[in-house]
Amino acid sequence: MADDQLSEVFELVEVRGLVSGGFAARGPWVSRAALAETFKFMAVVSGRACLVTDGIDAPIELLPGDVAILNNRARLELSGGTGDGPAQEIMPIESDFAVTDADWRTHDIVLGGRIDLNEAGRTLLVGALPPVAHVRASPTSGANLRASIHRLFDEVAGNRIGSAFAIRQHAQLVLLEVLRAYVEQAELPPGWLRVLTDERLRPALTLMHAQPDRLWGLNELARAAAMSRTAFAERFREVAGMPPRAYLNRWRMMLAQRALRDGDVSVGSLASELGYASESAFSTAFKREVGESPLRYRLNARAQALSN
């Protein structure tokens, strides 16, 4: 099996796509909301919807199977339907699962929710996506996405035993399919999503991910990628938006955050495992990257986990 750095990063940043609501409508309709969360997504199960938000030049038409991820937007307006008369005002889609009696063959059906991540995940995804990431359910790359959306809708509408658990699982798969399709359809900006999907840099990334305690040099990484030192350094910075050393430090800090959240390893042992010469050197690097000391991070992360 090929090395899968995207899955590794998903686990480290604790990506959880959470469906928080949905609606079904016949005839003209409109739904407006102010947005507080960093990331919102909406999936069109059936029908069509017109999306308007701040930071885009023109409305975006969403077709069946399409998904839009809103990145740090302040407001949202969705509209759709046909027929005479005024548009029905629908409450924001996070308010309820109002799709129980809907028929995807006759209704406009929209599912929506927030993408919940830890702080590392939010930082990474903000830089990886544009203000609105529109993923089209194309006949080829969109087949799995459409199927995932329909399974998600079936769980939301069915209200069967265990549906809450199933909805969370299907929502995560929808998010994964969205990112897969987005990688195929869009010109990615420099950042973690682009570098993780770059085939030429994959051998070098595999080395850094497998042995983060080593201080990998440019010559070693360039040889792994079958490139010259200069060409490798230029390509890595162009694709990742940072030099290899900075990426390695970022990867180490993501590993450190998981270890501090989930385990009881001492700070000194963790520093040694990640290749730092001393506990103080690791603590300084951690605070510079994360904004607080390792011990403070552990206390805050566990307190937050207990409150959720």
Side-chain angles (χ1 to χ4, degrees):
M1 180 178 177
D3 294 298
D4 188 356
Q5 282 91 18
L6 184 58
S7 291
E8 286 183 292
V9 173
F10 258 51
E11 293 174 0
L12 289 175
V13 302
E14 297 181 336
V15 176
R16 299 182 297 274
L18 302 181
V19 173
S20 56
F23 65 81
R26 298 178 71 175
W29 57 268
V30 63
S31 180
R32 301 180 180 92
L35 303 179
E37 298 89 355
T38 304
F39 299 106
K40 294 283 292 184
F41 79 88
M42 51 227 60
V44 176
V45 180
S46 64
R48 299 180 178 219
C50 181
L51 167 65
V52 176
T53 188
D54 52 298
I56 61 175
D57 297 328
I60 296 174
E61 183 181 25
L62 303 178
L63 302 177
D66 283 11
V67 176
I69 298 178
L70 274 63
N71 180 1
N72 222 14
R73 301 298 91 198
R75 61 180 178 83
L76 160 69
E77 179 180 305
L78 281 176
S79 60
T82 58
D84 299 327
Q88 174 190 1
E89 188 83 27
I90 296 178
M91 294 295 291
I93 56 180
E94 63 265 23
S95 62
D96 196 8
F97 293 105
V99 298
T100 304
D101 299 322
D103 185 339
W104 62 269
R105 293 165 296 186
T106 59
H107 287 72
D108 291 334
I109 302 174
V110 179
L111 299 178
R114 68 186 185 275
I115 301 174
D116 191 17
L117 312 100
N118 59 23
E119 186 61 36
R122 284 192 294 273
T123 300
L124 291 172
L125 207 57
V126 163
L129 297 178
V132 178
H134 177 202
V135 180
R136 298 173 178 85
S138 66
T140 53
S141 63
N144 288 336
L145 178 56
R146 285 195 303 274
S148 295
I149 290 172
H150 282 163
R151 285 193 293 268
L152 180 58
F153 168 69
D154 288 341
E155 286 295 339
V156 171
N159 197 26
R160 299 188 296 270
I161 184 171
S163 61
F165 175 80
I167 288 169
R168 286 195 297 270
Q169 300 305 309
H170 285 306
Q172 292 185 60
L173 291 176
V174 167
L175 178 58
L176 177 59
E177 292 297 343
V178 165
L179 291 180
R180 283 172 171 169
Y182 182 69
V183 166
E184 294 179 11
Q185 296 176 13
E187 181 66 32
L188 298 175
W192 73 277
L193 190 56
R194 184 174 170 186
V195 74
L196 290 176
T197 55
D198 188 282
E199 291 297 329
R200 293 194 66 187
L201 297 178
R202 180 186 292 273
L205 287 176
T206 298
L207 291 180
M208 288 190 280
H209 282 223
Q211 294 182 270
D213 58 314
R214 284 191 57 178
L215 191 58
W216 293 98
L218 272 179
N219 289 333
E220 295 173 292
L221 297 174
R223 279 197 300 271
M227 301 171 67
S228 72
R229 174 190 171 102
T230 300
F232 173 80
E234 291 177 352
R235 183 176 181 87
F236 199 101
R237 183 183 288 273
E238 175 189 351
V239 172
M242 64 185 78
R245 180 69 61 83
Y247 180 89
L248 178 60
N249 290 337
R250 176 74 61 85
W251 178 242
R252 286 173 165 179
M253 292 301 105
M254 291 172 67
L255 293 171
Q257 288 174 73
R258 179 176 64 177
L260 292 166
R261 288 194 311 268
D262 301 341
D264 295 316
V265 62
S266 70
V267 175
S269 296
L270 185 57
S272 178
E273 290 175 12
L274 294 176
Y276 287 89
S278 65
E279 180 177 332
S280 62
F282 166 71
S283 296
T284 299
F286 188 93
K287 188 171 184 178
R288 182 170 57 246
E289 177 71 24
V290 180
E292 56 189 351
S293 71
L295 290 178
R296 175 58 58 184
Y297 176 86
R298 169 177 275 164
L299 289 173
N300 289 339
R302 295 186 175 180
Q304 183 178 3
L306 290 174
S307 65
N308 290 339

